[in-house]
Amino acid sequence: MILVVVIVVVNNETDHPPADDVKVTACTVNSATQQATARVEIHNHSSKASTYAITVEFVAASGTRVSEGGTVSSTVAPGQTVRTEVGGVDRVTQKVTCKVTDVTRVAS
């Protein structure tokens, strides 16, 4: 008799990389302040409370990046969803699209 044992290890970092935890839900430019803002939603798919550092770029219709900004959201519990905003650091006078360019997730 031969007994075969298969052990499957699930690596949460591979199954749910940090970038998959963040999405842009709105992208606007305030005409009075000329500040671009991205609303982002973070959903922690990992098994540990985590701190997220997020960078967003703001891109004009021509494809040129016209601003960039970042935010940190601390102690997001496993399975928790957090909504926050990322503001651009440069003045913007045109319509833009928002793109998450970097997400770092660190167990807190």
Side-chain angles (χ1 to χ4, degrees), residues 10-23 41-50 52 76-82 103 105:
V10 176
N11 180 339
N12 208 19
E13 287 295 317
T14 302
D15 290 346
H16 296 288
D20 288 353
D21 290 356
V22 180
K23 68 178 179 180
E41 184 176 278
I42 304 163
H43 182 81
N44 185 356
H45 289 98
S46 77
S47 61
K48 297 180 180 179
S50 300
Y52 287 81
V76 181
Q80 182 179 26
T81 299
V82 174
V103 178
R105 178 180 66 205

Side-chain angles (χ1 to χ4, degrees), residues 40-75:
V40 295
E41 184 176 278
I42 304 163
H43 182 81
N44 185 356
H45 289 98
S46 77
S47 61
K48 297 180 180 179
S50 300
T51 295
Y52 287 81
I54 301 163
T55 304
V56 173
E57 71 177 6
F58 301 91
V59 181
S62 65
T64 302
R65 182 176 73 193
V66 294
S67 192
E68 181 178 48
T71 191
V72 173
S73 192
S74 300
T75 318

